């Protein structure tokens, strides 16, 4: 069975500093992995996805994630945080005809 | 030209009432889903339909009944609303069942249901 664990419920960074949101997954086969973002009182938007092509995946708004099979991780990074990045971020793994969601990480950006 | 649209965006109603949330997608997708997001932001799948056929029916009270008149629509009807039903409900679609797991979903903007 597939599962996903987001290691931090909250991450706080200063504007202009790097962002790291951590995600570990468990899957019995080569997984599809996703990061979704939800801005306050908004819907869910796909940031990026890994589907067994390049292990370094680039997404929208300067985010990227690296698939590391040996560590079963799919951490999300951004070199320089912007105030508009403040949101809830979800790591997701493709399961049996559905997506399995992490509990979310709230990204707080300090001015 | 919204891809997945839900109505209404906000719904405030009293306990015991019956309400419906409508969802339509114009992407030509075969599969549609309903998710519930609680106050802690946890997302839980409720139902999925593939080409009008029920595929996933998670442990959800019988008061919740999905209806798919055609593959572009998946409506959610809720009977005898309770305080605990207050949440944000998201509709989503994917090209097909396999594509959803492999390539992700397109979500609607959500319906915030408040039961008072």
């Amino acid at each position: 069975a597939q599962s996903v664990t987001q290691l931090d419920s909250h991450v706080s960074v200063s504007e202009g500093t790097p962002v790291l949101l951590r995600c570990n997954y468990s899957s019995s086969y080569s997984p599809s992995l996703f990061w979704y973002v939800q801005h306050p009182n908004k819907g869910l938007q796909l940031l990026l996805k890994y589907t067994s092509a390049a292990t370094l995946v680039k997404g929208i708004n300067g985010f990227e994630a690296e698939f590391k099979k040996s560590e079963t991780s799919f951490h999300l990074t951004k070199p320089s945080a912007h105030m508009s990045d403040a949101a809830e971020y979800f790591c997701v793994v493709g399961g049996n005809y559905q997506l399995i969601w992490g509990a979310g990480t709230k990204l707080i950006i300090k001015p | 030209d919204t891809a997945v649209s839900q109505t209404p965006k906000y719904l405030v109603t009293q306990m015991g009432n019956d309400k419906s949330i409508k969802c339509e997608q114009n992407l030509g997708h075969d599969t549609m889903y309903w998710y519930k997001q609680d106050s802690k932001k946890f997302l839980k799948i409720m139902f999925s339909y593939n080409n009008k056929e029920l595929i996933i029916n998670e442990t959800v009270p019988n008061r919740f009944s999905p209806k798919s008149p055609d593959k572009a629509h998946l409506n959610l009807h809720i009977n005898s609303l309770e305080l605990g039903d207050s949440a944000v409900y998201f509709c989503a679609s994917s090209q097909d069942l396999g594509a959803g797991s492999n390539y992700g979903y397109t979500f609607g903007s959500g319906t915030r249901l408040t039961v008072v």
Side-chain angles (χ1 to χ4, degrees):
Chain A
Q2 289 74 33
S3 66
V4 62
T5 303
Q6 292 184 244
L7 298 168
D8 306 292
S9 60
H10 294 79
V11 169
S12 181
V13 302
S14 297
E15 191 175 18
T17 64
V19 174
L20 170 64
L21 305 184
R22 298 182 296 164
C23 173
N24 286 350
Y25 70 91
S26 172
S27 178
S28 53
Y29 49 81
S30 183
S32 294
L33 292 158
F34 312 84
W35 278 98
Y36 278 83
V37 60
Q38 184 178 26
H39 287 92
N41 299 314
K42 298 287 186 185
L44 292 147
Q45 182 183 20
L46 180 65
L47 261 183
L48 50 81
K49 62 187 173 197
Y50 166 77
T51 54
S52 72
T55 56
L56 183 62
V57 182
K58 293 189 185 300
I60 60 173
N61 301 334
F63 283 93
E64 60 182 38
E66 186 171 8
F67 172 71
K68 291 187 176 180
K69 186 175 180 179
S70 60
E71 299 176 10
T72 60
S73 69
F74 190 58
H75 301 335
L76 182 70
T77 60
K78 183 174 180 177
S80 176
H82 191 271
M83 294 300 291
S84 61
D85 295 328
E88 192 87 22
Y89 291 79
F90 294 94
C91 184
V92 185
V93 63
N96 186 22
Y97 295 148
Q98 63 175 292
L99 298 181
I100 312 299
W101 294 74
T105 298
K106 184 172 185 175
L107 178 61
I108 300 162
I109 311 296
K110 296 178 290 187
Chain B
D1 56 350
T2 304
V4 181
S5 60
Q6 295 178 231
T7 54
K9 192 172 176 64
Y10 299 96
L11 184 54
V12 180
T13 187
Q14 290 187 325
M15 276 194 304
N17 283 351
D18 302 339
K19 291 293 179 186
S20 292
I21 306 172
K22 295 186 176 182
C23 180
E24 176 182 5
Q25 54 94 2
N26 62 5
L27 297 165
H29 288 172
D30 284 346
T31 310
M32 297 184 72
Y33 311 82
W34 276 110
Y35 272 84
K36 179 180 180 180
Q37 185 176 44
D38 63 23
S39 58
K40 295 185 178 177
K41 301 291 186 184
F42 185 71
L43 277 149
K44 180 178 170 57
I45 191 167
M46 300 173 70
F47 304 102
S48 74
Y49 269 73
N50 188 63
N51 209 2
K52 303 194 298 175
E53 180 183 351
L54 180 65
I55 302 297
I56 291 177
N57 184 0
E58 291 293 310
T59 306
V60 174
N62 291 338
R63 300 180 294 102
F64 289 81
S65 55
K67 286 186 172 52
S68 182
D70 55 61
K71 72 175 192 177
H73 296 83
L74 181 61
N75 303 322
L76 183 65
H77 189 75
I78 315 169
N79 289 329
S80 304
L81 277 155
E82 301 177 357
L83 291 177
D85 298 332
S86 295
V88 180
Y89 292 84
F90 284 101
C91 178
S93 74
S94 64
Q95 189 165 351
D96 53 49
L97 279 174
S101 298
N102 291 329
Y103 301 111
Y105 304 161
T106 302
F107 280 86
S109 57
T111 297
R112 183 175 294 276
L113 171 66
T114 304
V115 183
V116 297

